[in-house]
Amino acid sequence: MIKTESLAIDQTQLVKAWSDAMPTVLNLSDRVEVKADEADANALWVNIQTEGRSLYSFDFKCVYKDSREVKVEFIDVEQDGVHVNEQTEIIQTLIEDYVRHIHECAQQLHAVTHH
């Protein structure tokens, strides 16, 4: 079992830092909500909602493997509150984009999360 190093910031501060930083890496029309994972102090839940006609809502789990690297896991996508097939090309492209944006955000916060 690999020991996860603890972060230099507590989870409440981490959620605030992510909440402030995520909008800077997303499209202006996208909305984001970041929440703490109650079961894991090194994990966050990121919900991204697209604006416009599509009304997609994406859920990701973001786990710090160490103070520099995050593992991003796609959890679910809904359209206007209804689960949709995530295998379509447009949704796969959006998932890839959002995973990249989440990694960008983690890089921006490196100074906050690293000892």
Side-chain angles (χ1 to χ4, degrees), residues 2-110:
I2 301 169
K3 181 183 179 323
T4 311
E5 102 182 38
S6 62
L7 298 174
I9 182 173
D10 78 33
Q11 197 176 34
T12 304
Q13 293 171 309
L14 188 64
V15 168
K16 172 147 181 28
W18 273 80
S19 296
D20 292 344
M22 267 308 287
T24 69
V25 298
L26 293 175
N27 296 323
L28 288 174
S29 61
D30 291 338
R31 290 184 297 141
V32 64
E33 183 179 6
V34 181
K35 294 182 180 173
D37 184 318
E38 303 292 328
D40 183 351
N42 286 343
L44 302 169
W45 290 91
V46 178
N47 172 267
I48 300 171
Q49 297 172 14
T50 62
E51 287 296 316
R53 281 186 246 144
S54 62
L55 294 175
Y56 288 123
S57 174
F58 294 85
D59 290 315
F60 297 90
K61 184 174 182 180
C62 180
V63 180
Y64 274 89
K65 293 160 87 170
D66 59 35
S67 63
R68 294 168 302 282
E69 187 179 356
V70 293
K71 176 183 169 225
V72 180
E73 181 182 352
F74 166 73
I75 302 298
D76 188 33
V77 59
E78 293 181 353
Q79 184 173 23
D80 204 12
V82 178
H83 293 280
V84 293
N85 177 5
E86 68 254 17
Q87 299 307 317
T88 65
E89 188 175 336
I90 187 161
I91 291 180
Q92 284 297 309
T93 300
L94 286 168
I95 290 169
E96 289 172 18
D97 285 349
Y98 288 139
V99 167
R100 189 172 58 252
H101 292 318
I102 291 169
H103 281 288
E104 286 173 31
C105 185
Q107 287 176 337
Q108 282 186 12
L109 295 175
H110 183 200

